[in-house]
């Protein structure tokens, strides 16, 4: 079976121009891909008799975008065929026969889509549409053309903001509330597919809250026809409001198969506002490493529900300054409940920088509220954090919970490149049939906490297991560091036999 890939393409203008006189089969072979997504209002509505009135209303605000750049070699600007495509060899032969492979640098053009959001000329598109461009030209529905300047980009959400100077006010569209969109709602996508010019397609919202690869992903999935060149174009609800920016498609062959993705407008509007005001994004930063509270972790911690974000580590930063600790469970942030890691990440990103916000945590079974003054993520991401804690421990080994663990001494720490001040139990062997192995523990992992208490000696871990059993717990929560990255793992203690380790 062919592989399926998520693609974020833009159309090569020169290739489209050459191929317009060829067969439809040849046009498909260009490996055209891009992303479009539909979404509709939050109330029930029957299928319209026609989309003509809506298309007439919104078309003047949709634009075609042509970018120009100098590339190092012709392959950088040529058609990008999906791996294993049956058209790959055909098009290589076609390009060679037509002498389209000169040596040395050359200028390349690419096409995409966008939409006007203000009468004074601000335009939204995808970052990948304009990335690396030396020149950006906007073609309006009327046929007029204007040069655009880049205001700012956000690669994390693949959004870019452009600006044109127009002698007259421009027709524009407004953003709608993507949270009102429901699966099954009608949506309309507009753009410049395959370089053919302004085009309209309709479909429904197939799914919501899709993630592809980014931290802030919130995609609407649609079955509206999406092809290369549509990237950056708008996805409209039936009220003519933009509820998504068409970004990617899932396809085994580079063409539309009815699985398209559009970045939700409630994400886009925040990014656009920041790009418009600052020319860059300014996201909040809490300064913690976190993981989801899974059912087994919740049981091990004695939590009633498996919700919230479990802190695995607190490096230097706002959270540490405010007294947050590893093992705390964040249940509310800035007045809103926290369901999971993804939820908290978005809430923090949207929170004001430099202002104190209330963070509600569960610590040792009790609820506490901590005021945290957030930093800026863009600045924090450039910094390197060094984690240190505790004192060296005495060497000893034992077989516990399907693992052979040893107390970490200076010599072993130096051998493994571990900070000599770090304390914990080093995993030197894991039984392949054990639950610990199934949950990802491996040789070289370092257990620094058990039952939310530090472990330095083998006896510390034995005591935590005994306490868990006495308390009626079925599992024990371990804080494990793999290559310096912490995570919590809940391991059953019901058959956690303890014995001297093998030499």
């Amino acid at each position: 079976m062919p592989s399926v890939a998520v693609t974020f393409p833009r159309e090569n203008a020169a290739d489209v121009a050459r191929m317009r006189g060829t067969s439809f089969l040849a046009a498909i072979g260009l490996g055209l891909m891009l992303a479009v997504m539909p979404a509709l209002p939050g109330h029930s509505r029957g299928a319209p008799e026609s989309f003509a009135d809506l298309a007439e209303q919104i078309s003047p605000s949709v634009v075609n975008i042509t970018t120009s750049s100098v590339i190092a070699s012709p392959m950088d600007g040529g058609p990008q065929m999906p791996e294993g495509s049956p058209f790959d060899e055909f098009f290589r032969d076609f390009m060679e026969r037509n002498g389209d492979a000169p040596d040395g640098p050359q200028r390349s053009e690419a096409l995409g889509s966008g939409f006007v959001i203000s009468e004074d000329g601000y335009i939204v598109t995808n970052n990948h549409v304009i990335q690396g461009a030396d020149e950006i030209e906007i073609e309006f529905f009327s046929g007029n053309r204007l040069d655009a300047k880049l205001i700012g980009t956000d690669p994390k959400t693949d959004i870019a903001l452009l600006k044109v100077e127009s002698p007259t006010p421009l027709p524009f569209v407004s953003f709608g509330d993507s949270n009102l969109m429901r699966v099954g709602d009608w949506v309309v996508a507009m753009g410049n597919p395959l370089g053919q010019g302004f085009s309209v397609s309709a479909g429904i919202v197939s799914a919501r809250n899709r993630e592809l690869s980014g931290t802030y992903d919130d995609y609407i999935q649609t079955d509206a026809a999406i092809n290369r060149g549509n990237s950056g174009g708008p996805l409209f609800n039936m009220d003519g409001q933009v509820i998504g920016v068409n970004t990617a498609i899932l396809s085994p062959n580079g063409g539309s198969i009815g699985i398209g993705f559009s970045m939700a407008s409630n994400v886009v509007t925040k990014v656009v506002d920041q790009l418009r005001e600052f020319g860059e994004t300014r996201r909040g930063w809490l300064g913690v490493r976190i993981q989801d509270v899974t059912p087994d972790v919740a049981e091990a911690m004695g939590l009633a529900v498996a919700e919230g974000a479990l802190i695995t580590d607190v490096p230097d930063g706002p959270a540490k300054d405010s007294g947050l600790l590893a093992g705390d469970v964040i249940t509310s942030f800035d007045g809103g409940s926290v369901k999971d890691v993804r939820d908290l990440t978005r809430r923090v990103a949207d929170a004001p920088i430099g202002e104190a916000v209330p963070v509600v945590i569960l610590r040792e079974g009790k609820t506490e509220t901590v005021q945290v003054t957030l930093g800026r993520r863009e600045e924090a991401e450039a910094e390197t954090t060094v984690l240190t804690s505790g004192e060296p421990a005495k060497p000893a080994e034992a077989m516990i919970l399907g693992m052979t663990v040893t107390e970490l001494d200076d010599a072993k720490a130096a051998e493994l490149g571990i900070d000599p001040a770090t304390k914990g139990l080093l995993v030197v062997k894991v039984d392949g049939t054990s639950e610990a192995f199934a949950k990802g523990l491996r040789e070289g992992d370092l257990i620094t906490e058990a039952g939310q208490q530090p472990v330095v000696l083998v006896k510390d871990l034995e005591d935590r297991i005994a306490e868990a059993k006495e308390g009626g717990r079925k599992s024990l929560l371990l804080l494990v560091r793999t290559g310096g990255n912490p995570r919590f793992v809940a391991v059953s203690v019901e058959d956690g036999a303890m014995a001297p380790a093998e030499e």
Side-chain angles (χ1 to χ4, degrees):
M1 295 180 62
S3 61
V4 178
V6 176
T7 59
F8 303 79
R10 57 180 180 178
E11 191 62 72
N12 184 282
D15 294 331
V16 171
R18 284 195 299 270
M19 299 306 296
R20 278 180 175 165
T22 66
S23 68
F24 175 71
L25 180 64
I28 295 177
L30 281 173
L32 316 173
M33 346 175 170
L34 96 38
V36 176
M37 305 179 69
L40 280 181
H43 53 280
S44 298
R45 188 178 285 184
E49 293 183 1
S50 172
F51 293 97
D53 290 341
L54 178 60
E56 185 176 358
Q57 169 193 340
I58 59 182
S59 291
S61 66
V62 182
V63 300
N64 294 340
I65 299 177
T66 302
T67 65
S68 178
S69 60
V70 175
I71 58 176
S73 67
M75 289 303 294
D76 293 335
Q80 300 175 7
M81 302 303 299
E83 184 177 356
S85 168
F87 301 103
D88 190 13
E89 184 175 351
F90 169 82
F91 276 98
R92 287 182 183 276
D93 293 343
F94 177 86
M95 301 298 277
E96 290 174 1
R97 287 197 304 271
N98 285 274
D100 290 321
D103 294 330
Q106 62 179 280
R107 182 160 291 279
S108 173
E109 289 189 343
L111 305 179
S113 305
F115 54 98
V116 184
I117 60 169
S118 66
E119 65 178 11
D120 60 345
Y122 281 98
I123 296 171
V124 174
T125 186
N126 279 144
N127 176 58
H128 76 261
V129 169
I130 53 81
Q131 190 171 23
D134 300 322
E135 300 174 0
I136 305 173
E137 184 181 65
I138 306 299
E139 179 188 1
F140 295 88
F141 190 73
S142 62
N144 292 335
R145 294 174 180 266
L146 292 173
D147 291 334
K149 66 176 181 179
L150 179 63
I151 300 300
T153 67
D154 179 34
K156 292 184 183 297
T157 56
D158 200 7
I159 295 298
L161 183 64
L162 311 176
K163 180 73 164 63
V164 297
E165 298 298 332
S166 173
T168 59
L170 297 172
F172 64 95
V173 287
S174 301
F175 285 103
D177 187 349
S178 56
N179 287 341
L180 297 180
M181 299 302 104
R182 300 179 301 164
V183 172
D185 279 343
W186 283 100
V187 289
V188 169
M190 293 194 67
N192 181 22
L194 312 185
Q196 298 301 304
F198 293 91
S199 179
V200 180
S201 61
I204 63 169
V205 174
S206 302
R208 294 188 54 214
N209 304 124
R210 293 297 200 196
E211 295 181 74
L212 297 182
S213 59
T215 303
Y216 307 104
D217 284 0
D218 186 7
Y219 286 102
I220 298 171
Q221 179 184 327
T222 181
D223 67 348
I226 302 169
N227 288 283
R228 175 179 276 187
N230 280 115
S231 282
L235 185 67
F236 291 101
N237 63 21
M238 298 305 290
D239 293 324
Q241 299 172 324
V242 178
I243 48 80
V245 177
N246 305 324
T247 303
I249 60 173
L250 187 66
S251 174
N253 55 22
S256 173
I257 59 171
I259 305 178
F261 302 93
S262 180
M263 183 62 75
S265 62
N266 286 2
V267 173
V268 176
T269 52
K270 296 182 180 71
V271 172
V272 168
D273 288 346
Q274 291 186 354
L275 295 179
R276 193 167 178 173
E277 182 175 359
F278 307 112
E280 59 185 359
T281 56
R282 297 189 176 184
R283 294 186 170 96
W285 177 57
L286 184 58
V288 292
R289 293 190 177 97
I290 51 179
Q291 70 178 57
D292 288 331
V293 179
T294 58
D296 56 349
V297 168
E299 195 281 332
M301 297 182 68
L303 303 179
V305 292
E307 290 185 357
L310 175 59
I311 299 177
T312 62
D313 191 49
V314 188
D316 292 338
K320 186 174 183 178
D321 294 340
S322 301
L324 292 180
L325 303 173
D328 291 344
V329 178
I330 299 176
T331 59
S332 175
F333 180 86
D334 199 15
S337 61
V338 173
K339 296 180 180 178
D340 51 29
V341 166
R342 186 183 181 196
D343 189 18
L344 178 61
T345 301
R346 292 177 180 174
R347 290 180 181 276
V348 172
D350 295 340
I353 299 170
E355 297 183 17
V357 296
V359 179
V360 179
I361 62 172
L362 280 175
R363 178 181 294 172
E364 298 179 355
K366 297 180 181 179
T367 298
E368 297 183 25
T369 300
V370 179
Q371 297 291 327
V372 182
T373 300
L374 301 181
R376 185 183 171 196
R377 174 172 289 276
E378 289 81 359
E379 296 175 353
E381 287 178 342
E383 299 178 359
T384 302
T385 302
V386 178
L387 303 176
T388 61
S389 64
E391 301 176 353
K394 300 176 182 179
E397 286 190 3
M399 171 66 80
I400 303 178
L401 302 176
M403 302 173 289
T404 300
V405 296
T406 182
E407 297 171 357
L408 193 64
D409 60 10
D410 289 344
K412 195 67 176 178
E415 178 185 339
L416 298 174
I418 300 174
D419 190 315
T422 300
K423 62 180 179 180
L425 298 176
L426 181 67
V427 178
V428 295
K429 186 177 181 180
V430 184
D431 183 348
T433 64
S434 68
E435 181 187 12
F437 184 89
K439 292 193 173 180
L441 279 93
R442 296 294 186 270
E443 178 182 346
D445 287 348
L446 190 66
I447 301 173
T448 59
E449 290 185 11
Q452 297 181 270
Q453 298 183 50
V455 289
V456 178
L457 308 176
V458 168
K459 186 177 185 304
D460 294 335
L461 182 54
E462 294 172 344
D463 290 345
R464 300 296 85 75
I465 294 173
E467 290 170 3
K469 291 181 176 180
E470 290 173 3
R473 300 275 175 80
K474 296 180 181 179
S475 54
L476 179 67
L477 196 65
L478 305 178
L479 179 56
V480 181
R481 294 185 183 277
T482 303
N485 297 316
R487 62 190 175 98
F488 280 101
V489 179
V491 180
S492 173
V493 297
E494 291 184 337
D495 58 353
M498 296 172 283
E502 296 179 1
E503 294 295 329

